[in-house]
Amino acid sequence: MEYLFANTGQEADVLDFANFVFSQAHRPHDFRTLLPKVYARDDFAPLHAIAMEEGRIRGMAALLPQEIRVLPGMSLSSGFVGTVGAHPYYRGQGIMQRVMDMLYQKGREMGLDVLLLGGRRHRYNYFGYERGGAEVMFTINQDCLHHALKQVEGEQVSLTPLAQAAPSDIDAANRFYEGMPMVAYRSREEFLAVLGSVYAAPWLVKQGDAVAGYINVSGKGVITEAAIPEKLWLPILKQWLQTHGGDVRVVLPQHEVKAISILHPVAENFAISDSVMLNILNWPKVLETVLAFKNTWCPLRDNQVVLDVQGEGRWLLEVSQGQVSVAQTTLAPDVSLTANQAVSLLFSPLSLLKQEGRSFANWLPLPFNLPEADCF
């Protein structure tokens, strides 16, 4: 078995293998339409670490580099891992360990701050990933329409498929995206392709003739991204329920505090969960960035914590008079954990229920969320 990164020109083989493996394991897949932001390009093969035998791909995983724009002037370099699979006849031979190690080393060489993926927790724990990032899912149903939303004027907004909109309206929607915090950078050229990932459907929101943003609705009917003024949430939900019937679910990251406060009173129910699996490569950069980000919408209390991440380093995390800092230290640790344990403590919605979490004042859970369209 030979392990290497695919070369430009192997796109057809990579695509055929991905379609075969995922169609065998789940349902029929066509990655060109499933993830056009990657597989509709001409040069996607080199993103993939592959295991080759006799000229045939036997295992594969891809690393998609992305810049996460946390706030203007504040970003993290990331790599999103996806299309992870082994040929069904070659499973149990350690192929995935080798290709996942290749992606980890590639991320290190590229100087990435963090690797991310979506998938089964205990499977990817072996490769250094742990779940984190708090999000809230609201369910809005027809009872909400007839009671909590009864007085809302849904007619003040209109919703039309963004793909059918005029180029000037798509440009305007893209400007709303550009004002969103904690999203992966998307060029204007790939804006629609990214929003359409995994069969999602973006919808243009208008008030009269004026573009007021957009919402993105997943293939499962969940609003997974919204770049809109918060005051339009309820009219949009009423308009959607009246037009489409049934229920609608809305996923909001923890930093969308205004939207959460608006949806909570009208929702039938809600659930809080984690959102992504993290493998942090640059601990001080990630910690300082997400602490500073949280401080912009949830003022952090002055506090000091010495965090030891075993095998990674030891840092003094400090908030003083509104300023955040993370610095290497030799002081005795207040908290000492493995990397996976540290991700779980710092980023999990359950962090404040854990004994170690009490050392962090009101800092936890730390935010780390990306819209579903940015995932891989």
Side-chain angles (χ1 to χ4, degrees), residues 179-325:
M180 293 177 65
M182 195 162 271
V183 292
Y185 171 76
R186 311 165 191 167
S187 69
R188 169 62 183 86
E189 293 72 24
E190 64 183 354
F191 179 57
L192 279 179
V194 172
L195 287 175
S197 298
V198 198
Y199 309 120
W203 292 75
L204 182 71
V205 179
K206 277 191 166 185
Q207 278 188 294
D209 294 328
V211 173
Y214 68 90
I215 61 173
N216 203 30
V217 183
S218 76
K220 297 180 179 180
V222 181
I223 299 176
T224 58
E225 179 177 335
I228 55 172
E230 285 89 357
K231 66 181 180 180
L232 294 185
W233 262 114
L234 300 188
I236 288 169
L237 290 173
K238 184 165 187 176
Q239 180 75 244
W240 186 270
L241 289 169
Q242 288 176 326
T243 303
H244 296 271
D247 302 347
V248 63
R249 288 172 292 162
V250 179
V251 172
L252 293 173
Q254 63 164 312
H255 59 263
E256 296 284 356
V257 290
K258 291 182 181 179
I260 289 171
S261 69
I262 290 170
L263 266 62
H264 180 214
V266 305
E268 175 66 23
N269 55 53
F270 68 92
I272 299 173
S273 66
D274 44 35
S275 61
V276 70
M277 296 198 75
L278 304 170
N279 188 340
I280 297 175
L281 305 184
N282 187 341
W283 280 89
K285 172 76 176 296
V286 170
L287 292 174
E288 189 166 43
T289 300
V290 297
L291 278 166
F293 175 48
K294 186 163 186 176
N295 197 38
T296 63
W297 47 269
C298 175
L300 303 180
R301 297 176 193 157
D302 286 1
N303 191 27
Q304 291 183 338
V305 181
V306 176
L307 171 67
D308 180 75
V309 181
Q310 296 161 21
E312 296 288 342
R314 185 177 301 176
W315 302 280
L316 172 64
L317 285 59
E318 183 174 14
V319 177
S320 177
Q321 298 182 342
Q323 299 299 308
V324 172
S325 65

